[in-house]
Coordinates of all heavy atoms in Angstrom, one line a residue:
M112 N 0.2 2.6 13.3 CA 1.1 3.1 14.2 C 1.9 1.9 14.7 O 1.4 1.0 15.2 CB 0.4 3.9 15.3 CG 1.3 4.7 16.2 SD 0.5 5.9 17.1 CE 0.5 5.2 18.7
L113 N 3.2 2.1 14.8 CA 4.2 1.1 15.2 C 4.8 1.5 16.5 O 5.2 2.7 16.7 CB 5.2 0.8 14.2 CG 4.7 0.4 12.8 CD1 5.9 0.3 11.8 CD2 4.0 -0.9 12.9
G114 N 4.9 0.6 17.4 CA 5.6 0.8 18.7 C 6.9 0.0 18.8 O 6.8 -1.2 18.5
Y115 N 8.0 0.6 19.2 CA 9.2 -0.1 19.4 C 9.6 -0.1 20.8 O 9.0 0.6 21.6 CB 10.3 0.5 18.5 CG 10.1 0.4 17.1 CD1 9.4 1.3 16.3 CD2 10.5 -0.7 16.4 CE1 9.1 1.2 15.0 CE2 10.3 -0.9 15.0 CZ 9.6 0.1 14.3 OH 9.3 -0.1 13.0
R116 N 10.6 -1.0 21.2 CA 10.9 -1.1 22.6 C 11.7 0.1 23.1 O 11.5 0.5 24.3 CB 11.8 -2.3 22.8 CG 11.0 -3.6 22.7 CD 11.9 -4.8 22.9 NE 12.9 -4.9 21.9 CZ 12.9 -5.9 21.0 NH1 12.1 -6.9 21.0 NH2 13.9 -5.9 20.0
T117 N 12.5 0.8 22.3 CA 13.3 1.9 22.7 C 13.2 3.0 21.7 O 12.9 2.8 20.5 CB 14.8 1.5 22.9 OG1 15.3 1.2 21.6 CG2 14.9 0.3 23.9
D118 N 13.6 4.2 22.1 CA 13.7 5.4 21.2 C 14.8 5.1 20.1 O 14.6 5.4 18.9 CB 14.1 6.6 21.9 CG 12.9 7.2 22.7 OD1 11.7 7.1 22.2 OD2 13.1 7.8 23.8
A119 N 15.9 4.4 20.5 CA 16.9 4.1 19.5 C 16.4 3.2 18.4 O 16.7 3.4 17.2 CB 18.1 3.5 20.2
E120 N 15.6 2.2 18.8 CA 15.0 1.3 17.8 C 14.0 2.1 16.9 O 14.0 1.9 15.6 CB 14.2 0.2 18.4 CG 15.1 -0.9 19.0 CD 14.3 -2.1 19.6 OE1 13.1 -2.0 19.5 OE2 15.0 -3.1 19.9
A121 N 13.2 3.0 17.5 CA 12.3 3.8 16.7 C 13.0 4.7 15.7 O 12.7 4.9 14.6 CB 11.3 4.6 17.6
D122 N 14.1 5.3 16.2 CA 14.9 6.2 15.4 C 15.5 5.4 14.2 O 15.6 5.9 13.1 CB 16.0 6.9 16.2 CG 15.5 7.9 17.2 OD1 14.3 8.3 17.1 OD2 16.2 8.2 18.2
H123 N 16.0 4.2 14.5 CA 16.6 3.4 13.4 C 15.6 3.0 12.4 O 15.8 3.1 11.2 CB 17.3 2.1 14.1 CG 17.7 1.1 13.1 ND1 18.8 1.3 12.3 CD2 17.2 0.0 12.7 CE1 19.0 0.3 11.4 NE2 18.0 -0.5 11.7
A124 N 14.4 2.6 12.9 CA 13.3 2.3 11.9 C 12.9 3.4 11.1 O 12.7 3.3 9.9 CB 12.1 1.7 12.7
Y125 N 12.9 4.6 11.7 CA 12.5 5.8 10.9 C 13.5 6.1 9.8 O 13.1 6.4 8.7 CB 12.4 7.0 11.9 CG 12.1 8.3 11.2 CD1 10.9 8.6 10.7 CD2 13.1 9.3 11.1 CE1 10.5 9.8 10.1 CE2 12.8 10.5 10.5 CZ 11.5 10.7 10.0 OH 11.2 12.0 9.4
G126 N 14.8 5.9 10.1 CA 15.8 6.1 9.1 C 15.7 5.1 8.0 O 15.8 5.4 6.8
V127 N 15.5 3.8 8.3 CA 15.4 2.8 7.3 C 14.2 3.0 6.4 O 14.3 2.9 5.2 CB 15.3 1.4 8.0 CG1 15.0 0.3 7.0 CG2 16.6 1.0 8.6
L128 N 13.1 3.3 7.0 CA 11.9 3.6 6.3 C 12.1 4.7 5.3 O 11.6 4.7 4.1 CB 10.7 3.8 7.1 CG 10.2 2.7 8.0 CD1 9.1 3.1 9.0 CD2 9.7 1.5 7.1
G129 N 12.8 5.8 5.7 CA 13.1 6.9 4.8 C 13.9 6.5 3.6 O 13.6 6.9 2.5
T130 N 14.9 5.6 3.9 CA 15.7 5.2 2.7 C 15.0 4.3 1.8 O 15.3 4.2 0.6 CB 17.0 4.5 3.2 OG1 16.7 3.4 3.9 CG2 17.9 5.5 4.1
E131 N 14.0 3.6 2.3 CA 13.1 2.7 1.5 C 12.0 3.5 0.8 O 11.2 2.9 0.1 CB 12.5 1.6 2.3 CG 13.6 0.6 2.8 CD 14.0 -0.3 1.7 OE1 13.3 -0.6 0.8 OE2 15.2 -0.7 1.8
G132 N 11.9 4.8 1.0 CA 10.9 5.6 0.3 C 9.5 5.5 1.0 O 8.5 5.8 0.4
V133 N 9.5 5.0 2.2 CA 8.2 4.9 3.0 C 8.1 6.1 3.8 O 8.9 6.4 4.7 CB 8.3 3.6 3.9 CG1 7.0 3.5 4.7 CG2 8.4 2.4 3.0
D134 N 7.0 6.9 3.6 CA 6.7 8.1 4.4 C 6.3 7.7 5.8 O 5.5 6.8 6.0 CB 5.7 8.9 3.7 CG 6.0 9.5 2.4 OD1 7.2 9.8 2.3 OD2 5.2 9.7 1.6
S135 N 7.0 8.3 6.8 CA 6.6 8.0 8.2 C 6.9 9.3 9.0 O 7.6 10.2 8.6 CB 7.4 6.8 8.7 OG 8.8 7.1 8.7
V136 N 6.3 9.3 10.2 CA 6.5 10.4 11.1 C 7.0 9.7 12.4 O 6.4 8.8 12.9 CB 5.2 11.1 11.4 CG1 5.4 12.2 12.4 CG2 4.7 11.7 10.1
R137 N 8.1 10.3 12.9 CA 8.6 9.8 14.3 C 7.8 10.6 15.3 O 7.9 11.8 15.4 CB 10.1 10.1 14.3 CG 10.7 9.8 15.7 CD 10.7 8.3 16.0 NE 11.5 8.0 17.1 CZ 11.1 8.0 18.4 NH1 9.9 8.4 18.7 NH2 11.9 7.8 19.4
L138 N 7.0 9.9 16.0 CA 6.1 10.6 17.0 C 6.8 10.8 18.3 O 7.7 10.1 18.7 CB 4.9 9.7 17.3 CG 4.0 9.4 16.0 CD1 3.0 8.3 16.4 CD2 3.4 10.6 15.5
T139 N 6.4 11.9 19.0 CA 7.0 12.2 20.3 C 6.2 11.5 21.4 O 5.1 11.0 21.1 CB 7.0 13.7 20.6 OG1 5.7 14.2 20.5 CG2 7.8 14.4 19.6
G140 N 6.7 11.4 22.6 CA 6.0 10.8 23.7 C 6.2 9.3 23.8 O 5.5 8.6 24.5
G141 N 7.1 8.7 23.1 CA 7.4 7.3 23.1 C 8.1 6.8 21.9 O 8.2 7.6 20.9
P142 N 8.5 5.6 21.8 CA 9.2 5.0 20.7 C 8.2 4.6 19.6 O 8.1 3.4 19.3 CB 10.0 3.9 21.3 CG 9.2 3.4 22.4 CD 8.5 4.6 23.0
H143 N 7.5 5.5 19.0 CA 6.4 5.3 18.1 C 6.7 5.9 16.7 O 7.2 7.0 16.6 CB 5.1 5.7 18.6 CG 4.8 5.2 20.0 ND1 4.4 6.0 21.0 CD2 4.9 4.0 20.5 CE1 4.2 5.3 22.1 NE2 4.5 4.0 21.8
L144 N 6.2 5.2 15.7 CA 6.2 5.7 14.3 C 4.8 5.6 13.7 O 4.1 4.6 14.0 CB 7.1 4.9 13.4 CG 8.6 4.9 13.6 CD1 9.3 4.0 12.6 CD2 9.2 6.3 13.5
A145 N 4.4 6.6 12.9 CA 3.2 6.5 12.1 C 3.7 6.4 10.7 O 4.5 7.2 10.2 CB 2.4 7.8 12.3
V146 N 3.2 5.3 10.0 CA 3.5 5.1 8.6 C 2.4 5.7 7.8 O 1.2 5.5 8.1 CB 3.6 3.6 8.3 CG1 3.9 3.3 6.8 CG2 4.8 3.0 9.1
I147 N 2.8 6.6 6.8 CA 1.8 7.4 6.1 C 1.5 6.8 4.8 O 2.4 6.3 4.0 CB 2.4 8.8 5.9 CG1 2.9 9.4 7.2 CG2 1.3 9.7 5.2 CD1 1.9 9.5 8.3
G148 N 0.2 6.7 4.5 CA -0.3 6.4 3.1 C -0.1 5.0 2.6 O 1.0 4.7 2.2
G149 N -1.1 4.2 2.6 CA -1.1 3.0 1.9 C -0.3 1.9 2.5 O 0.6 2.1 3.4
H150 N -0.5 0.7 2.0 CA 0.2 -0.5 2.5 C 1.6 -0.6 1.8 O 1.7 -0.5 0.6 CB -0.6 -1.7 2.2 CG 0.1 -3.0 2.6 ND1 0.3 -3.3 3.9 CD2 0.6 -3.9 1.8 CE1 1.0 -4.5 3.9 NE2 1.1 -4.9 2.6
R151 N 2.6 -0.9 2.5 CA 3.9 -1.3 2.0 C 4.2 -2.6 2.6 O 3.6 -3.1 3.5 CB 4.9 -0.2 2.4 CG 4.7 1.2 2.0 CD 5.1 1.3 0.6 NE 5.0 2.7 0.2 CZ 5.9 3.3 -0.5 NH1 6.9 2.7 -1.0 NH2 5.7 4.6 -0.9
D152 N 5.3 -3.2 2.1 CA 5.7 -4.5 2.6 C 6.5 -4.3 3.9 O 7.7 -4.6 3.9 CB 6.4 -5.3 1.5 CG 6.6 -6.8 1.9 OD1 6.2 -7.2 3.0 OD2 7.2 -7.5 1.2
L153 N 5.8 -3.8 4.9 CA 6.6 -3.6 6.2 C 7.0 -4.9 6.8 O 8.0 -4.9 7.5 CB 5.7 -2.8 7.1 CG 5.4 -1.4 6.6 CD1 4.4 -0.7 7.7 CD2 6.6 -0.5 6.4
D154 N 6.2 -6.0 6.6 CA 6.6 -7.2 7.2 C 8.0 -7.7 6.7 O 8.8 -8.1 7.4 CB 5.6 -8.3 6.8 CG 4.3 -8.1 7.6 OD1 4.3 -7.5 8.6 OD2 3.2 -8.6 7.1
R155 N 8.2 -7.5 5.4 CA 9.5 -7.8 4.8 C 10.6 -7.0 5.4 O 11.7 -7.5 5.8 CB 9.6 -7.6 3.3 CG 10.9 -7.9 2.7 CD 11.1 -7.5 1.2 NE 10.9 -6.1 1.0 CZ 11.8 -5.2 1.2 NH1 13.0 -5.5 1.7 NH2 11.6 -3.9 1.0
L156 N 10.4 -5.7 5.5 CA 11.4 -4.8 6.1 C 11.7 -5.2 7.6 O 12.8 -5.1 8.0 CB 10.9 -3.3 6.1 CG 11.0 -2.7 4.7 CD1 10.4 -1.3 4.7 CD2 12.4 -2.6 4.2
H157 N 10.6 -5.5 8.3 CA 10.9 -5.9 9.7 C 11.6 -7.2 9.8 O 12.4 -7.4 10.7 CB 9.5 -6.0 10.5 CG 9.1 -4.7 11.0 ND1 8.2 -3.9 10.3 CD2 9.5 -3.9 12.0 CE1 8.0 -2.7 10.9 NE2 8.8 -2.7 11.9
R158 N 11.4 -8.1 8.9 CA 12.2 -9.4 8.9 C 13.6 -9.2 8.5 O 14.5 -9.8 9.1 CB 11.6 -10.4 7.9 CG 10.3 -11.1 8.4 CD 9.9 -12.2 7.5 NE 9.9 -11.9 6.1 CZ 8.8 -11.4 5.4 NH1 7.7 -11.2 6.1 NH2 8.8 -11.1 4.1
V159 N 13.9 -8.2 7.6 CA 15.2 -8.0 7.1 C 16.0 -6.9 7.8 O 17.2 -7.1 8.1 CB 15.2 -7.7 5.6 CG1 16.5 -7.5 5.0 CG2 14.5 -8.9 4.8
E160 N 15.4 -5.8 8.0 CA 16.2 -4.6 8.4 C 15.8 -3.9 9.7 O 16.5 -3.1 10.2 CB 16.2 -3.6 7.3 CG 16.8 -4.0 6.0 CD 16.8 -2.9 4.9 OE1 17.3 -1.8 5.2 OE2 16.3 -3.2 3.8
L161 N 14.5 -4.1 10.1 CA 14.0 -3.3 11.2 C 13.9 -4.2 12.5 O 13.7 -5.4 12.4 CB 12.6 -2.8 10.8 CG 12.6 -1.8 9.7 CD1 11.1 -1.4 9.4 CD2 13.4 -0.6 9.9
P162 N 14.0 -3.5 13.6 CA 13.7 -4.2 14.9 C 12.2 -4.6 14.9 O 11.4 -4.0 14.2 CB 14.0 -3.2 16.0 CG 14.1 -1.9 15.3 CD 14.3 -2.1 13.8
E163 N 11.9 -5.6 15.8 CA 10.5 -6.0 15.9 C 9.7 -4.9 16.4 O 10.1 -4.1 17.3 CB 10.5 -7.2 16.9 CG 9.1 -7.8 17.0 CD 9.1 -9.0 18.0 OE1 10.2 -9.6 18.1 OE2 8.1 -9.2 18.6
A164 N 8.5 -4.7 15.8 CA 7.6 -3.7 16.2 C 6.2 -4.3 16.6 O 5.8 -5.3 16.1 CB 7.4 -2.7 15.1
E165 N 5.5 -3.6 17.5 CA 4.2 -3.9 17.8 C 3.3 -2.9 17.1 O 3.4 -1.7 17.1 CB 3.9 -3.7 19.3 CG 2.6 -4.0 19.8 CD 2.3 -3.7 21.3 OE1 3.3 -3.3 21.9 OE2 1.2 -3.9 21.7
V166 N 2.3 -3.5 16.4 CA 1.3 -2.7 15.7 C 0.3 -2.2 16.8 O -0.4 -2.9 17.4 CB 0.5 -3.4 14.6 CG1 -0.6 -2.6 14.0 CG2 1.5 -3.9 13.6
L167 N 0.3 -0.8 17.0 CA -0.5 -0.2 18.0 C -1.8 0.1 17.6 O -2.7 0.4 18.4 CB 0.3 1.0 18.6 CG 1.6 0.8 19.2 CD1 2.3 2.1 19.6 CD2 1.6 -0.2 20.4
G168 N -2.1 0.2 16.3 CA -3.3 0.6 15.7 C -3.2 1.5 14.5 O -2.1 1.6 14.0
V169 N -4.3 2.1 14.1 CA -4.3 3.0 13.0 C -4.4 4.4 13.5 O -5.4 4.7 14.2 CB -5.5 2.6 12.0 CG1 -5.5 3.6 10.9 CG2 -5.4 1.2 11.6
L170 N -3.5 5.3 13.1 CA -3.5 6.7 13.5 C -4.5 7.4 12.7 O -4.5 7.4 11.5 CB -2.1 7.3 13.3 CG -1.9 8.7 13.9 CD1 -2.1 8.7 15.4 CD2 -0.5 9.2 13.5
V171 N -5.4 8.1 13.4 CA -6.4 9.0 12.7 C -6.2 10.4 13.3 O -6.2 10.5 14.5 CB -7.9 8.5 13.0 CG1 -8.9 9.5 12.4 CG2 -8.1 7.1 12.5
T172 N -5.9 11.3 12.5 CA -5.7 12.7 13.0 C -6.8 13.6 12.7 O -7.3 13.7 11.6 CB -4.4 13.3 12.3 OG1 -3.3 12.4 12.5 CG2 -4.0 14.6 12.8
E173 N -7.3 14.2 13.8 CA -8.4 15.2 13.8 C -7.8 16.6 13.6 O -6.9 17.0 14.4 CB -9.1 15.1 15.1 CG -10.2 16.1 15.3 CD -10.9 16.0 16.7 OE1 -10.4 15.3 17.5 OE2 -11.9 16.7 16.8
I174 N -8.2 17.3 12.5 CA -7.7 18.6 12.2 C -8.8 19.6 12.5 O -9.9 19.5 11.9 CB -7.2 18.7 10.8 CG1 -6.3 17.6 10.4 CG2 -6.7 20.1 10.5 CD1 -4.9 17.7 10.9
T175 N -8.5 20.5 13.4 CA -9.5 21.6 13.7 C -8.7 22.9 13.6 O -7.9 23.2 14.5 CB -10.1 21.4 15.1 OG1 -10.6 20.1 15.2 CG2 -11.2 22.4 15.4
G176 N -9.0 23.7 12.6 CA -8.2 24.9 12.4 C -6.8 24.6 12.2 O -6.4 23.9 11.3
T177 N -5.9 25.1 13.1 CA -4.5 24.8 13.1 C -4.1 23.8 14.1 O -2.9 23.5 14.2 CB -3.7 26.1 13.3 OG1 -4.0 26.6 14.6 CG2 -4.0 27.1 12.2
R178 N -5.0 23.1 14.7 CA -4.7 22.1 15.7 C -4.9 20.7 15.2 O -5.9 20.4 14.6 CB -5.7 22.3 16.9 CG -5.4 21.4 18.1 CD -6.3 21.9 19.3 NE -6.2 20.8 20.3 CZ -7.2 20.4 20.9 NH1 -8.4 20.9 20.7 NH2 -7.1 19.4 21.8
A179 N -3.9 19.9 15.4 CA -4.0 18.5 15.0 C -4.0 17.6 16.3 O -3.1 17.7 17.1 CB -2.8 18.1 14.1
T180 N -5.0 16.8 16.4 CA -5.2 15.9 17.5 C -5.1 14.4 17.1 O -6.0 14.0 16.3 CB -6.5 16.1 18.3 OG1 -6.6 17.5 18.6 CG2 -6.6 15.3 19.5
P181 N -4.1 13.7 17.5 CA -4.0 12.3 17.0 C -4.9 11.4 17.9 O -5.1 11.5 19.1 CB -2.6 11.9 17.2 CG -2.1 12.8 18.4 CD -2.9 14.1 18.2
H182 N -5.5 10.4 17.2 CA -6.3 9.3 17.9 C -5.8 8.0 17.3 O -5.4 7.9 16.2 CB -7.8 9.5 17.5 CG -8.4 10.8 17.9 ND1 -9.0 11.0 19.1 CD2 -8.5 11.9 17.2 CE1 -9.4 12.3 19.2 NE2 -9.2 12.8 18.0
V183 N -5.9 6.9 18.1 CA -5.5 5.6 17.6 C -6.7 4.7 17.6 O -7.3 4.5 18.6 CB -4.3 5.0 18.5 CG1 -3.9 3.7 18.0 CG2 -3.2 6.0 18.5
A184 N -7.0 4.1 16.4 CA -8.0 3.2 16.3 C -7.5 1.8 16.3 O -6.3 1.6 16.0 CB -8.8 3.4 14.9
R185 N -8.3 0.8 16.7 CA -7.8 -0.6 16.8 C -7.4 -1.2 15.5 O -6.4 -2.0 15.4 CB -8.9 -1.5 17.4 CG -9.2 -1.3 18.9 CD -10.2 -2.3 19.4 NE -11.4 -2.4 18.5 CZ -12.5 -1.7 18.6 NH1 -12.6 -0.8 19.5 NH2 -13.5 -1.9 17.8
D186 N -8.2 -0.9 14.4 CA -8.0 -1.6 13.1 C -8.6 -0.7 12.0 O -9.1 0.4 12.4 CB -8.6 -3.0 13.1 CG -10.1 -2.9 13.5 OD1 -10.9 -2.1 13.0 OD2 -10.5 -3.8 14.2
P187 N -8.4 -1.0 10.8 CA -8.9 -0.1 9.7 C -10.4 0.2 9.8 O -10.8 1.3 9.5 CB -8.5 -0.9 8.4 CG -7.3 -1.7 8.8 CD -7.6 -2.1 10.2
E188 N -11.2 -0.8 10.1 CA -12.6 -0.6 10.2 C -13.0 0.4 11.3 O -13.8 1.3 11.1 CB -13.4 -1.9 10.4 CG -13.3 -2.9 9.2 CD -12.0 -3.6 9.1 OE1 -11.3 -3.8 10.2 OE2 -11.6 -4.1 8.0
D189 N -12.3 0.2 12.5 CA -12.5 1.1 13.6 C -12.0 2.6 13.2 O -12.6 3.5 13.6 CB -11.8 0.6 14.8 CG -12.1 1.4 16.1 OD1 -13.3 1.7 16.3 OD2 -11.2 1.7 16.8
A190 N -11.0 2.6 12.4 CA -10.4 3.9 11.9 C -11.5 4.7 11.1 O -11.7 5.9 11.2 CB -9.2 3.7 11.2
V191 N -12.2 3.9 10.2 CA -13.2 4.5 9.4 C -14.4 5.0 10.2 O -14.8 6.2 10.1 CB -13.7 3.5 8.3 CG1 -15.0 4.1 7.6 CG2 -12.6 3.2 7.3
R192 N -14.8 4.2 11.2 CA -15.9 4.7 12.1 C -15.4 5.9 12.9 O -16.2 6.8 13.1 CB -16.3 3.5 13.0 CG -17.1 2.4 12.4 CD -17.6 1.4 13.4 NE -16.6 0.7 14.0 CZ -16.0 -0.5 13.6 NH1 -16.4 -1.0 12.4 NH2 -15.1 -1.1 14.3
L193 N -14.2 5.9 13.4 CA -13.7 7.0 14.2 C -13.7 8.3 13.3 O -14.1 9.4 13.8 CB -12.4 6.7 14.8 CG -11.6 7.8 15.5 CD1 -12.4 8.4 16.6 CD2 -10.3 7.4 15.9
A194 N -13.1 8.1 12.1 CA -13.1 9.3 11.2 C -14.5 9.8 10.9 O -14.7 11.1 10.9 CB -12.3 8.9 9.9
Q195 N -15.4 9.0 10.8 CA -16.8 9.4 10.5 C -17.4 10.1 11.7 O -18.0 11.2 11.5 CB -17.7 8.2 10.1 CG -19.1 8.7 9.6 CD -19.0 9.5 8.4 OE1 -18.6 8.9 7.4 NE2 -19.5 10.7 8.4
R196 N -17.1 9.6 12.9 CA -17.6 10.3 14.1 C -17.0 11.7 14.3 O -17.7 12.7 14.6 CB -17.3 9.4 15.3 CG -18.3 8.3 15.6 CD -18.2 7.7 17.0 NE -16.9 7.4 17.4 CZ -16.3 6.2 17.2 NH1 -16.9 5.2 16.5 NH2 -15.1 5.9 17.6
L197 N -15.7 11.8 14.0 CA -15.0 13.0 14.1 C -15.5 14.0 13.1 O -15.8 15.2 13.4 CB -13.5 12.8 14.0 CG -12.8 12.1 15.1 CD1 -11.4 11.8 14.7 CD2 -12.8 12.8 16.4
H198 N -15.8 13.5 11.9 CA -16.3 14.4 10.8 C -17.7 14.9 11.2 O -18.0 16.1 11.1 CB -16.3 13.6 9.5 CG -16.9 14.4 8.4 ND1 -18.3 14.3 8.1 CD2 -16.4 15.2 7.5 CE1 -18.5 15.1 7.1 NE2 -17.4 15.7 6.7
D199 N -18.5 13.9 11.7 CA -19.9 14.3 12.0 C -19.9 15.3 13.2 O -20.8 16.2 13.2 CB -20.7 13.1 12.4 CG -21.0 12.2 11.2 OD1 -20.8 12.6 10.1 OD2 -21.5 11.0 11.5
A200 N -19.0 15.2 14.1 CA -19.0 16.1 15.3 C -18.6 17.5 14.8 O -19.0 18.5 15.3 CB -18.0 15.6 16.3
L201 N -17.8 17.6 13.7 CA -17.3 18.8 13.2 C -18.3 19.5 12.3 O -18.6 20.7 12.5 CB -16.0 18.6 12.4 CG -15.3 19.9 11.8 CD1 -14.8 20.8 13.0 CD2 -14.1 19.4 11.0
V202 N -18.9 18.8 11.4 CA -19.8 19.4 10.4 C -21.2 18.9 10.4 O -22.1 19.3 9.7 CB -19.3 19.2 9.0 CG1 -17.9 19.9 8.8 CG2 -19.2 17.8 8.5
G203 N -21.5 17.9 11.3 CA -22.8 17.3 11.3 C -22.9 16.0 10.4 O -22.1 15.9 9.5
P204 N -23.9 15.2 10.7 CA -24.0 13.9 9.9 C -24.3 14.2 8.4 O -24.8 15.3 8.1 CB -25.2 13.2 10.5 CG -25.4 13.9 11.9 CD -24.9 15.3 11.7
V205 N -23.9 13.3 7.5 CA -24.1 13.4 6.1 C -25.6 13.5 5.9 O -26.4 12.8 6.5 CB -23.5 12.2 5.4 CG1 -23.9 12.3 3.9 CG2 -22.0 12.2 5.5
G206 N -26.1 14.5 5.1 CA -27.5 14.6 4.8 C -28.2 15.5 5.8 O -29.3 15.9 5.6
A207 N -27.5 16.0 6.8 CA -28.2 16.8 7.9 C -28.4 18.2 7.4 O -29.2 18.9 7.9 CB -27.4 16.8 9.1
H208 N -27.7 18.6 6.3 CA -27.7 20.0 5.8 C -28.7 20.1 4.6 O -28.8 21.2 4.1 CB -26.4 20.5 5.4 CG -25.4 20.4 6.6 ND1 -25.5 21.2 7.7 CD2 -24.3 19.6 6.8 CE1 -24.5 20.9 8.5 NE2 -23.8 19.9 8.0
A209 N -29.3 19.0 4.2 CA -30.1 19.0 3.0 C -31.5 19.6 3.3 O -32.0 19.7 4.4 CB -30.3 17.6 2.4

């Protein structure tokens, strides 16, 4: 998840990422973007075309029925732990149903 100083900067970055074929979501509630799926050379884009961004963490979305609840993890390892906790809370720990 990337944070920009202003909504205008976030809107600009969203447009540039779209033209570069990078899937992203312009989040509400602040000048934030979530970049979807895999690593891209975002550092190059930020050096060349995008305003400076702060990496806010890794977005992990909890899906329950038709409700989506976003969570932000510090780093990829924390994201995996968070996803596992959310999964376990929903269906129980792996092996608990055996």
Side-chain angles (χ1 to χ4, degrees):
M112 188 162 105
L113 302 174
Y115 293 91
R116 288 182 294 248
T117 67
D118 284 325
E120 285 184 356
D122 292 341
H123 173 71
Y125 179 71
V127 169
L128 291 174
T130 61
E131 290 287 327
V133 177
D134 293 329
S135 62
V136 175
R137 176 65 169 90
L138 301 171
T139 59
H143 305 132
L144 292 179
V146 178
I147 309 301
H150 175 72
R151 301 283 187 137
D152 192 0
L153 294 178
D154 290 337
R155 178 191 62 81
L156 286 173
H157 278 98
R158 283 191 309 271
V159 176
E160 300 183 52
L161 297 177
E163 185 178 332
E165 176 185 359
V166 176
L167 300 176
V169 178
L170 187 64
V171 176
T172 304
E173 175 184 8
I174 308 285
T175 308
T177 59
R178 184 172 168 224
T180 305
H182 302 271
V183 179
R185 289 185 314 270
D186 55 43
E188 293 79 21
D189 189 43
V191 170
R192 288 188 295 273
L193 173 58
Q195 187 65 59
R196 281 195 309 272
L197 293 170
H198 178 269
D199 291 350
L201 183 63
V202 298
V205 173
H208 303 291

